[in-house]
Amino acid sequence: MAFIVALTFSVAASANFPVLVLSMFWSGLTTRGAVLGGMIGLLMSVIMVVLSKAVWVQSFGFGSEIFPFAYPALFSVPAAFIFSWLFSITDNSESANAERAAYEAQSIRSETGLGAEGAASH
């Protein structure tokens, strides 16, 4: 049971961790980079879990695993970081430029609370 929980966390970390870290600490992250990088991390981790011994051999009954490692996060998390960076730096749309320009104000507000004194109307 603990192994299945670890695989679940590995998949979640591959999709979420790179996007969260980059959105907090890198002003160049765009929506396109975040979405595509997170999707690549998610897909890579799920595919590697399916091709690992835990699923490919023990659940499906094949002779040997295709992906020889037990935890895919070692490969899928760096891939999500790299592709988030790649898709962000190649995004030159108007919305991407607006997102980059708004980073500093959002960072200051999120870290200090300045500008969040009143209630927001939605």
Side-chain angles (χ1 to χ4, degrees):
M1 184 59 97
F3 183 72
I4 299 299
V5 172
L7 288 178
T8 304
F9 281 119
S10 177
V11 171
S14 299
N16 297 323
F17 179 71
V19 174
L20 288 173
V21 168
L22 289 175
S23 67
M24 289 189 301
F25 300 114
W26 184 45
S27 63
L29 185 69
T30 64
T31 300
R32 181 178 132 192
V35 170
L36 293 175
M39 284 177 51
I40 287 171
L42 174 66
L43 291 174
M44 281 186 67
S45 62
V46 169
I47 289 169
M48 286 188 266
V49 165
V50 170
L51 297 178
S52 70
K53 184 178 180 181
V55 176
W56 197 253
V57 175
Q58 294 173 351
S59 296
F60 292 157
F62 292 107
S64 65
E65 70 274 2
I66 295 172
F67 182 70
F69 298 97
Y71 301 105
L74 179 63
F75 303 98
S76 56
V77 170
F81 271 109
I82 291 167
F83 282 105
S84 293
W85 170 79
L86 179 67
F87 288 122
S88 291
I89 65 166
T90 58
D91 189 1
N92 293 321
S93 64
E94 287 183 29
S95 62
N97 292 330
E99 291 167 3
R100 289 182 190 110
Y103 173 79
E104 186 176 352
Q106 292 173 354
S107 176
I108 291 170
R109 182 174 179 174
S110 68
E111 291 178 12
T112 65
L114 296 174
E117 292 84 14
S121 61
H122 297 280

